[in-house]
Structure formats: structure tokens, C-alpha cells
Amino acid sequence: MNNNEVTRKLSAILSADVQGYSRLMGDNEIETVKTITEYRKTVISLVKQYKGRVVDAPGDNVLAEFASVVDAVQCAVEIQNVLKVKNEDLPENRRMIFRIGVNLGDIIQEGDRIYGDGVNIAARIEGLADGGGICISGTAYDQIENKLALGYNFIGEHSVKNIAKPVRVYKVPMIPGDREEVKEKAVVTKKKPPWTALAVILALILAAGTFWYFYPRPAPNPVETASKKATTTVPSKATPPALSEKPSVAVLPFDNISEDKKLAFFADGLTENIITGISKNPGLFVIARNSSFTYKGKPVKIQQVAKELGVQYVLEGSVQKAGDKVRITAQLIDAATGKHLWAEKYDRDIKDMFAIQDEITLKLMKALNVELTGGGSAVIWHGNTNNLSAFEKYTEGMEYFAKGDVRRAAPLFQEAIALDPNYSAPYTMLGWINMFGVWLGLTPSPEKALAQAGQLAQKAISLNASSGYGRSLLAKVYMTERRFDEAIAEGKKAVAVDPNSYPAHIWLGCIYSFAGEPEEGLQWINKAFRMNPKPDGVFFITLAMAYNILGQYDKAIEIYKKILQVNPNELFALIGLTEGYSLSGRIEEARKTAKEVLRIHPGFSAEYYVKAMSYKKKEDKDRFLNALHQAGLK
């Protein structure tokens, strides 16, 4: 090969062949050659129509190159549709049914020929397609997921011949019933939840900047909290939180001391699962993940961490990988004395991660002299999966969620479900995505999105009855449907099954506030603060909402302003600040803030927003709607 004639480039490759071609030739060579010649002409013509180039077409194979993945996939769909019609004119045993694979990858071009992994992958995934069907690689899917409304079924990662790494593969449904099933029945089947529907919600939510619920950020300065019944003060750095009467522990993020950056997802997942596992025990007081992870990647002093978080014990550890082996170290320290209560080193296969997690949790409980609730099954702790690949996909998705990159997070949750349809946690996260679209009117069909959120919550709970976050999601669905008694009951169940869950306490406090009991809501919110001394935006948003409902507008304004100092585009904070200004008579400031709301969300509707917030009391609903109208929001 002459290097002067070789060109490297990125291309979309379409590879097609005939299913059962050898049988057709064996039955009747003359008729088979006649049919393949006619069909090949049709395929070549369609490739040209979609701006592609046929590179080779030997026997029953067709290899084509496109500059655009969209053109390649549209061409593949058209080929299958046209050939399906042509096949109807043939006897069933003489029909020529093609399989097609499409990949986006780097190729080598020499003259008119093309070579390389980009070509090989297209050929390999073609073999995974059904007769009359199409499979596309993950690289192709990433380019067209929001451009072609076809619906896609993730069918897993596949190891293919002569390709070092497994390839993500998606099937393009060619039968209307299949497409509808993917779209509507994902929560009750083994297929994916509806990415095409979520894509619209995700794009709009991301544009509106409303993912303060999930991603960590610097917290506003502490503010004083109060209710009409009692006044409490949020602890500050100068006033360390008081120790709980229960054994109190913080789990610091396990350090990844390998060069493999992907192991960071594994380390974070291990940490989070240990936190989740011990949080289920009502005999312990456990600091929330949000606060623990503020120390990630930082040199820390155990005594200082314990003081800032208000705990007596700190668990820390590290993860190191070599091939398929993993070394995990863990040590539990009594911060008051500096004494190591226990320390362990585990050298195992990486597939034994869940068993290692169990051992660490069991020994931690034993060291703290706490009985392990329910026999200590880790299958509950890590969201009821023992599928390491599914767990890694979910953990990676949560990592992207933490960065606000929801477009990359949601497909990973769906892939986790495809790998293990009985894994509850990713169903919950997809349900919350739907809820945000409902609250802000960022979905074309709020009723459908709300129903989907409810179905996803019910699915998560059916798979894992101890899913506090799943029960909180269902409680919020009930609240939005104005089923307040059921919402409060489900919110209390979330706290009962997950007694150290910061989000479960937050959402129960929020539900009480919108149910017309903001004083009770503040009590639950303040409990959540103690579990999470380094809170993120959701704590302060919910706290400020409660103050607005309570009529303590100055306190709400103070909190909203501090949130906006950290993130000027925080949409819920801007809406709440508009309400607070308007209700306290500061109309000019309210109108100025309302313009910021419209800058971020030009289609914002006050009528829709207040309705979606589901105030139980009509006077609350009318109060906030009038406030937004006075500020100029319609």
C-alpha cells in the first residue's frame, strides 16, 4: 500500500448481505442470481439517492460509504422498505431478505477501496440484525438519536471478531408494533424506556438550566431558618453540628489510585453503595452522599471532616486495578481518638465487587456494634442488581448527571436497564427526568410524561421495595395529581425504608409545604440539613419555597438571592424570587427578575407553572398566580 495514496477519514459505513443466501443458491442458482442482480441495482440506486457511494458489491454483499450518518441510516430504512414490497411478489421460499449494519468510524481509503475497523464493525453488527432489519453502532446512534424519530432498541455491548473493545449496538425497529412497544411499554417489558420522548424533555430542561436537583455545586452561605412555632438555626462552619445519639458515620469517596480513569466510576459506585447500604439501618446516623463527596479528590484531615460533618466515625478507602483484579482497602477511624477500629485489604476479581461491598458493610456494622437490618443482603443496597456491567452503566450515568450532562446520562440509565431489566435504580432516575418536564411545562404532553413518571416509580418500587428515592418519586407524582394524602403516606414510607435518606426527607418536607402545612415541611427539611451539612441547591430551593408559602417572604428572598449568587440561571430560584418580591410589594424588582425568567425560558407560563406546582389550598394558588401576573408573567 502506497502511503502517498492512502487517506484516513471519518465515514458512515453501510454493510448489507442476504440472510440465507447459500440456501437460495442451493435451491435455484439461476433464479437467485436473477433476483440478486435486480435487488443489487435497487440498492445501488437508493445509495446514490441518499448521497452515498457503493464501494463494493460482490455476491450478496453491498458495502457503501456516506459522509452523513443520517443519510446512511435513512438509506438503510428505505432499502428495507422498498425490498419488503418487492419481496411480496415472490414466493415465501424465494424471498431475498437483507440484513444491514451501519457504523460511524475511522477508515483508510486507498483509491476507491476502504479498509479499517470502521468497515469491520459495520460488517460485524450487520450479522446481529434480524432479516429485514437494521443494526447501528453506538457511534452512529450518538449522532442520530435526536435527528431521526425512528425509535431504537439498545441490545447490549457485543464483542465482535477482530475488534478489541465491545461495541454498543442498537436495533432500529422496522415493524410499527415494535416501535410502539419501545415507545409505550418500556416500563413493563425488557425493552428500553422511551428515549425519543425523553429527548425532547431533556433538551428543554438542559436549556432551561433546571438540574439543580441533581448536580452538586457550592452551597449558598448558611441562613437562619424558622417557623411560626419555633426558630432553628442552620449550623455554620463556626457552629459544628451536634453529634447524634446514634453512632454517626461519614463515608469518604474511595480514592482511585490506578491510571485507569474509568475506575473512578467504580470507586464512586462502591462508595455510594456502602453509604446506601448503611443508610438503611435505623440504628445509625449516616451523612448524605452529597456532603461526603465534597471531599472527593482533596487531601483531608479526618478530625476536621468529622467536625465539619458532625460525626464520630469516618470510613475511607482506595481502589486499585490490575487487569481483571482489583485491590480495595478500607479503614474505619474514630475521629475523637484517631484510633483505627478496623482496616482491611481485599484482592479479588473485579466481578466480586458486590461481595467485597457486603464484607466492608458487615464489618463496619460490627465495629460500630450495630445489628444489620434484614440480614444484610447487598442486593437491596445497590439497587437490586448483581450485574456488574449494568451497575457500571448506572454509575457512569450518575457521574454525568452530577456534571449536569443529562444527554449522556439518560442513555446510560437505559443501557443499564437493557443489561438488567430488573434493576430498579435507573427506572427511578428516568422517572425524575419526566417529572421536571411536567413541572416546568417543558414537554409536549405533560399528562403523558406524568403518567410515565408514575409508571417508572411503580416499576422501581416493584423491583425494590426499599427504594426510598423511588417512593419519593411516586409521592411527588401523587402530589402533582393533587392526591395529597397518598403523597404524604408514600413520602413517609420513603423515610421509613430509607431513614438516613436526605432526598426522602427533603421531598416529604416539600410535599407538606404544598399541602398547606409549611411549618411541618420545615421540620422535615431541617432534618435533611442535618444529614447533609454541605447541601446542594435542592435544599435551599425547597427551604425558600416553604418560606414563601408560609408568608415569610424576606427569608425566602434572602435564600433565593444567595442561590443566584452561585448560579444566576437557576430557574426555580428566579421564579421563587419573582414571587417573593411581588408578594412583599417590591414590584419593580419582581418585574426585573421576571425578565430573567423569560430570558432563560421564553415560553414560561405562570398559569401552567402554578397549576403544575399543585398547591392544595386555593388561596395559595391564587396568591402565587397573582404575584407572577403582577410581575408581568402571563
Side-chain angles (χ1 to χ4, degrees), residues 500-518:
N500 284 286
S501 170
Y502 153 69
H505 285 75
I506 279 284
W507 291 123
L508 181 55
C510 181
I511 292 167
Y512 267 115
S513 296
F514 282 88
E517 301 181 55

Side-chain angles (χ1 to χ4, degrees), residues 357-380:
Q357 176 185 300
D358 277 2
E359 288 187 39
I360 293 172
T361 306
L362 287 164
K363 289 185 177 180
L364 187 153
M365 296 290 190
K366 184 177 179 181
L368 298 178
N369 196 27
V370 176
E371 291 295 325
L372 190 60
T373 303
S377 175
V379 75
I380 294 176

